[in-house]
Amino acid sequence: MRHRLGLLFLLAAAPAAGQGPIQRHQLTGWLDSLHRASTPTEVEALAPAAGVADGAVRQLRRALLNTRRGEVEHDRRAFERALFDFDQSSARHKSWAWPELGMALTFAALHRGDYIAVGSDGQYQSESHAEAVWRHLQEGVKRDPTSPDIRAFAIRVLVAGGDRELTTTQARLLTGLLAVPAPEPDAWLVFGRWLRGRTRYDSALQAFDRSLVAGGDASRLALERARTMMPLGDSLAAAASYWKGLQHPTVIGRSAYRTDLAWILGPDSLSAFDAATGDSLLPFLTRFWARRDMRSAKTTDGRLLEHLRRWAIAFANFKVVDPWRRTMFTRIEFAFEGFTECVASNARFYQTLARTPPVDAEDIRGREQLLDHRGLIYLRHGTPIGRIARTVVSGPTPITEVGIATKPLDFNYSPSQEEEHAEHVSRQATAAWMYWIDGDWRILFFRGSKALGTEAPTTLTSYLPLNFGAEWYAIGQMAPQYAAAASKLETYRGMQPKSCLGTVKQAIATSRRDATTGIATESDSPPITRPWDAALNVFVLGTARDASGRALVTFALPTDRLIATPRDDGRHRFEIRFRISAYEAVTGKTMQIDTVRRFTSDVAPAPRQFLTGLFEIPLGPGRWELTLLARQQSDSTGAFGELRGREVSRGDRLAMSDLITGIPNGTPLWQSAAGAFPLNALGSWSRKTPLELYFEIYGLPVDADYRTSIEVRLADQKKGKSILISETGRARGATTLFRRSLDLGQLSPGSYLVVVRVTHGSDSVVSERPLLIRAK
């Protein structure tokens, strides 16, 4: 149990001699009994016997007993009596480490119990309990560098702190721990993390190697080495080290890998990790990263390497400055967003945000934030596709920079390449990062706060305050969803508060939705900084019964966004690289196709001209996720699309394919089972063009009756004109083909849904497809 943590450390090391006149064997057996005591009666039974001749030992026992009494009985007075005895003993015997260890244990217990610091014995004025722990540990190691008990406790709590920036006292403590001829392996581990925090990656690897040679936990060290190799540019070795740590994971190693995932996953998702016990952990993580490889259209281990890259950049650039000086981590919302009319408090968002970072239960500094919110978002979503930064370099005049990142960072990077994110330049700095998350462009806003620091845009705000006029204007230029509000904020001169205007309230609601999505999800999409605005569609059809399962992928690429090579005959040639990835959720099966398509056009690239085409990808039974990535010469331009949760039916029960939509004389032309079908790769219709609809029905007996209803309605459920068609039919066999043409003339321009329901007896299945009707 956590309240037994302190005394347990006294027994963690092997017996050793020599702590001045107090020999460890004089305490070991008694300490063992004291540790097991869990009730006040059991504790009192261990009171120091009057017959103990050595007064120093008797005083030390009394102090340790009071510390345990304070833990069991939650008695502040017992802690204070213990500190008095420890302080007296320390003053009388300045070469003894035991009293310093005792005070460290007692202050650690006071810290864990959330007791208010009141200037106890052994505590400096204005010193917190946590600070007192480190100071007494440092003094104890200084007095006796070889004491196994104080070394065990000091190393344990240093390791629990992970990659936190060490305070001056902690750094001196670590120096003392390393000064002996053969330091413990975990002392080298802490030293390696400290070196990595200063971007001394080669030296950090050497420290981790020394830890391994000294007997350190191989599983945890493999993860530490993977994190360190990535910024050195050795991505293959980084991936190999990551997987090596999972070959025979230890309890410690398993905890380290879990904490690593906790930066990007919530508690619900981590429960799947917890369920993967024993030998199932390696297969679980293999599938975990394979799925993300597919979603990001990367080759094997590509998404894992991106995770390690993000980790290295976040910890090199976005650590909280002097976190031990800050106390408002859990109250970020207090006065941060102000008190604006017509804008409700968003305390729940900030409470969720404060709980996001993973914390070791044994970390004395666990209440401090390790990374600021830019670090949290970077770990989850990577390099922002667009960025707006505002700084005040000198004087009160704001300088606003609107920028779109020119290219994503390579795996082989050094932290200096991340200058666009190291925004520690002004006490007035703000930033907006744009991402593609969950199928939509989202902008996340950051500015300084007293909780995380005002020297940089450290803190994620659920909306940008309305008095930041320059930023609103810049955001409106980059993001259409904010354009109306930005214009209104700039021009409105009425009596009503701007925060109560409809367009402004809508923009704030959008911002808050995006911020909530940003902290609740992780991004796998490749960072395409200059997207082509292409149209990509994926349809799944067929069954496992006749091995006809397949995905139909269509694309329409705008020629004016592509690179064309003129030919001698006056025509233009386009060469496009495609990567199609598929993942089956139940079996973990993955599939990837890399191919190059070459197109020739009689006219030069121009607006409203598109290259269209299709792929047919065979799929086995199961529930599939697919992605399509199209690129040319640069990784910073291209098109990306994804489809999640489409099932290839077994074919033995009622089911239907996706709705495949087309347009008369459309392209590309697909050879369906019912004949040539003109697809609509652009995915939009005018009111004058009919909707061609095709789908397949599976699992019906021959000549079985079924009913089909087809509805075309507004996507937002608002009232408006719609189309509803119902008809009956007879099944033609194991697969029934269905094709219809629908007149859209009565519908107004807008976003619609095509919803088809097939009913047979008491069974029914539904499939739907978005439909965009344009004005012309």
Side-chain angles (χ1 to χ4, degrees):
M1 295 177 63
R2 192 174 178 185
H3 68 272
R4 299 184 182 183
L5 180 64
L7 294 178
L8 178 60
F9 282 123
L10 290 172
L11 304 171
Q19 295 207 44
I22 298 179
Q23 301 297 315
R24 192 171 192 278
H25 66 81
Q26 295 177 277
L27 295 173
T28 302
W30 181 81
L31 277 175
D32 186 46
S33 299
L34 184 61
H35 165 67
R36 291 197 301 267
S38 58
T39 66
T41 301
E42 292 174 346
V43 172
E44 295 306 323
L46 295 170
V52 176
D54 192 328
V57 174
R58 187 166 58 250
Q59 184 181 36
L60 191 59
R61 283 193 179 188
R62 183 172 65 243
L64 291 168
L65 181 125
N66 275 323
T67 297
R68 186 64 182 142
R69 182 184 288 132
E71 291 178 307
V72 171
E73 301 180 17
H74 307 287
D75 184 355
R76 174 71 182 252
R77 293 171 299 177
F79 287 127
E80 297 297 341
R81 289 193 293 269
L83 288 172
F84 176 81
D85 280 335
F86 285 133
D87 191 45
Q88 290 290 313
S89 179
S90 178
R92 291 171 184 168
H93 309 284
K94 297 186 181 298
S95 63
W96 293 2
W98 276 101
E100 297 298 318
L101 174 57
M103 281 190 281
L105 291 169
T106 307
F107 282 119
L110 287 167
H111 174 73
R112 291 193 302 272
D114 288 326
Y115 291 95
I116 298 174
V118 294
S120 306
D121 288 299
Q123 185 177 18
Y124 290 162
Q125 187 176 4
S126 301
E127 184 180 49
S128 70
H129 292 145
E131 290 170 332
V133 172
W134 300 115
R135 181 171 57 81
H136 285 292
L137 285 175
Q138 190 254 330
E139 176 62 25
V141 171
K142 179 180 178 182
R143 290 184 176 192
D144 187 356
T146 64
S147 168
D149 300 289
I150 199 166
R151 292 182 65 88
F153 183 42
I155 291 172
R156 184 74 173 270
V157 290
L158 281 172
V159 169
D163 282 78
R164 297 190 182 281
E165 184 69 23
L166 299 185
T167 65
T168 301
T169 304
Q170 287 179 303
R172 290 172 179 169
L173 171 61
L174 178 59
T175 299
L177 293 170
L178 292 171
V180 298
E184 294 85 346
D186 282 354
W188 288 116
L189 168 66
V190 176
F191 186 50
R193 289 172 172 173
W194 182 85
L195 290 167
R196 183 172 59 200
R198 280 154 176 72
T199 67
R200 294 167 58 183
Y201 299 111
D202 285 313
S203 299
L205 281 179
Q206 293 176 15
F208 294 141
D209 288 342
R210 297 190 72 168
S211 177
L212 185 63
V213 171
D217 188 277
S219 183
R220 177 171 58 189
L221 286 167
L223 176 58
E224 299 289 0
R225 288 179 58 83
R227 291 170 168 173
T228 312
M229 290 172 177
M230 196 62 197
L232 288 172
D234 198 345
S235 58
L236 293 178
S241 184
Y242 182 93
W243 294 116
K244 183 179 180 180
L246 293 164
Q247 296 298 323
H248 303 286
T250 62
V251 173
I252 292 175
R254 180 186 177 91
S255 176
Y257 278 87
R258 187 186 191 279
T259 300
D260 181 64
L261 291 183
W263 284 106
I264 61 174
L265 299 180
D268 293 341
S269 299
L270 283 173
S271 61
F273 178 96
D274 297 333
T277 58
D279 294 338
S280 64
L281 181 60
L282 177 58
F284 169 81
L285 285 177
T286 300
R287 292 172 59 182
F288 176 89
W289 290 115
R291 186 176 193 178
R292 282 154 178 78
D293 285 339
M294 182 281 306
R295 287 184 174 178
S296 58
K298 295 182 181 295
T299 55
T300 302
D301 287 340
R303 182 61 180 84
L304 167 61
L305 293 175
E306 167 66 8
H307 171 70
L308 294 173
R309 185 192 74 87
R310 292 180 187 180
W311 192 96
I313 289 178
F315 277 80
N317 291 280
F318 301 128
K319 281 187 176 180
V320 175
V321 177
D322 297 341
W324 49 85
R325 299 181 183 274
R326 309 182 188 279
T327 59
M328 295 178 60
F329 296 120
T330 59
R331 291 301 309 277
I332 292 171
E333 87 284 358
F334 182 72
F336 178 59
E337 289 191 346
F339 303 95
T340 306
E341 289 188 69
C342 300
V343 179
S345 170
N346 206 18
R348 179 175 296 182
F349 167 78
Y350 291 102
Q351 290 167 2
T352 301
L353 189 59
R355 294 194 298 266
T356 298
V359 175
D360 192 310
E362 300 174 359
D363 184 5
I364 292 177
R365 293 175 56 190
R367 299 171 190 174
E368 302 173 9
Q369 291 281 29
L370 177 52
L371 297 176
D372 67 33
H373 294 163
R374 294 170 301 167
L376 299 181
I377 293 301
Y378 199 94
L379 280 169
R380 289 177 175 268
H381 304 293
T383 305
I385 293 175
R387 188 180 71 94
I388 300 173
R390 171 187 184 266
T391 62
V392 177
V393 179
S394 62
T397 305
I399 299 175
T400 302
E401 169 197 352
V402 181
I404 303 296
T406 57
K407 63 179 181 179
L409 298 181
D410 296 329
F411 289 145
N412 302 333
Y413 82 101
S414 64
S416 60
Q417 287 179 275
E418 197 68 5
E419 291 177 354
E420 63 180 19
H421 303 298
E423 294 155 338
H424 299 276
V425 291
S426 169
R427 299 185 69 83
Q428 300 293 327
T430 62
W433 289 0
M434 183 171 69
Y435 289 101
W436 179 261
I437 305 174
D438 271 5
D440 203 355
W441 291 109
R442 304 181 189 273
I443 296 184
L444 306 180
F445 300 104
F446 303 87
R447 59 193 181 97
S449 73
K450 292 182 179 179
L452 296 177
T454 57
E455 72 285 342
T458 58
T459 309
L460 179 65
T461 177
S462 72
Y463 77 96
L464 190 67
L466 306 184
N467 59 335
F468 284 72
E471 285 86 338
W472 276 95
Y473 175 78
I475 292 163
Q477 298 290 99
M478 187 170 72
Q481 64 268 39
Y482 290 96
S487 176
K488 182 67 70 173
L489 288 172
E490 185 178 18
T491 61
Y492 181 71
R493 298 295 183 269
M495 298 297 294
Q496 186 181 14
K498 292 181 178 180
S499 56
C500 298
L501 300 175
T503 55
V504 175
K505 291 169 65 176
Q506 183 177 358
I508 291 174
T510 298
S511 176
R512 286 183 160 179
R513 284 195 301 270
D514 290 351
T516 299
T517 302
I519 64 174
T521 61
E522 52 166 323
S523 288
D524 299 307
S525 304
I528 300 174
T529 57
R530 294 193 296 273
W532 287 339
D533 296 327
L536 306 174
N537 291 285
V538 183
F539 310 91
V540 173
L541 65 162
T543 69
R545 168 177 278 180
D546 58 4
S548 61
R550 62 202 185 280
L552 180 64
V553 182
T554 69
F555 58 87
L557 310 180
T559 60
D560 60 332
R561 306 296 295 273
L562 305 179
I563 299 173
T565 303
R567 291 173 31 134
D568 294 339
D569 59 5
R571 295 191 295 174
H572 292 78
R573 182 181 183 184
F574 302 86
E575 186 173 286
I576 314 294
R577 293 181 289 124
F578 291 93
R579 172 174 291 163
I580 302 173
S581 305
Y583 174 85
E584 202 285 306
V586 176
T587 63
K589 181 180 179 180
T590 60
M591 180 191 313
Q592 194 165 80
I593 298 174
D594 285 281
T595 187
V596 175
R597 289 280 182 93
R598 296 176 177 86
F599 304 83
T600 302
S601 174
D602 293 332
V603 296
R608 302 187 64 80
Q609 292 184 356
F610 297 87
L611 302 179
T612 63
L614 64 87
F615 296 95
E616 281 199 77
I617 313 300
L619 299 176
R623 194 168 182 82
W624 290 89
E625 301 177 9
L626 297 100
T627 59
L628 171 68
L629 177 65
R631 282 178 173 166
Q632 284 190 299
Q633 298 174 359
S634 171
D635 285 343
S636 62
T637 62
F640 177 78
E642 60 183 331
L643 177 74
R644 298 185 182 181
R646 287 295 190 270
E647 186 170 1
V648 173
S649 168
R650 295 195 304 268
D652 56 354
R653 63 176 185 271
L654 180 62
M656 63 185 300
S657 71
D658 281 345
L659 305 180
I660 302 175
T661 50
I663 191 171
N665 302 317
T667 59
L669 196 64
W670 171 55
Q671 294 299 323
S672 73
F677 185 84
L679 294 164
N680 183 359
L682 285 174
S684 66
W685 286 255
S686 74
R687 300 169 61 187
K688 298 179 180 180
T689 54
L691 166 68
E692 299 294 328
L693 183 65
Y694 173 90
F695 60 89
E696 298 176 354
I697 306 170
Y698 314 116
L700 290 176
V702 177
D703 290 332
D705 293 330
Y706 66 90
R707 173 173 290 277
T708 303
S709 69
I710 304 173
E711 182 183 14
V712 182
R713 56 175 171 79
L714 285 168
D716 57 10
Q717 299 289 347
K718 292 181 180 179
K719 292 183 179 180
K721 290 185 178 181
S722 62
I723 297 173
L724 181 61
I725 300 173
S726 296
E727 60 181 87
T728 59
R730 287 183 180 274
R732 304 299 184 184
T735 298
T736 299
L737 312 179
F738 192 102
R739 179 172 176 178
R740 292 291 182 272
S741 182
L742 303 180
D743 183 3
L744 304 177
Q746 62 176 315
L747 302 180
S748 301
S751 297
Y752 290 80
L753 278 180
V754 183
V755 183
V756 176
R757 179 182 297 273
V758 176
T759 304
H760 170 64
S762 60
D763 295 333
S764 65
V765 290
V766 178
S767 187
E768 61 182 45
R769 194 83 187 173
L771 176 71
L772 177 63
I773 300 179
R774 60 182 186 273
K776 295 182 180 180

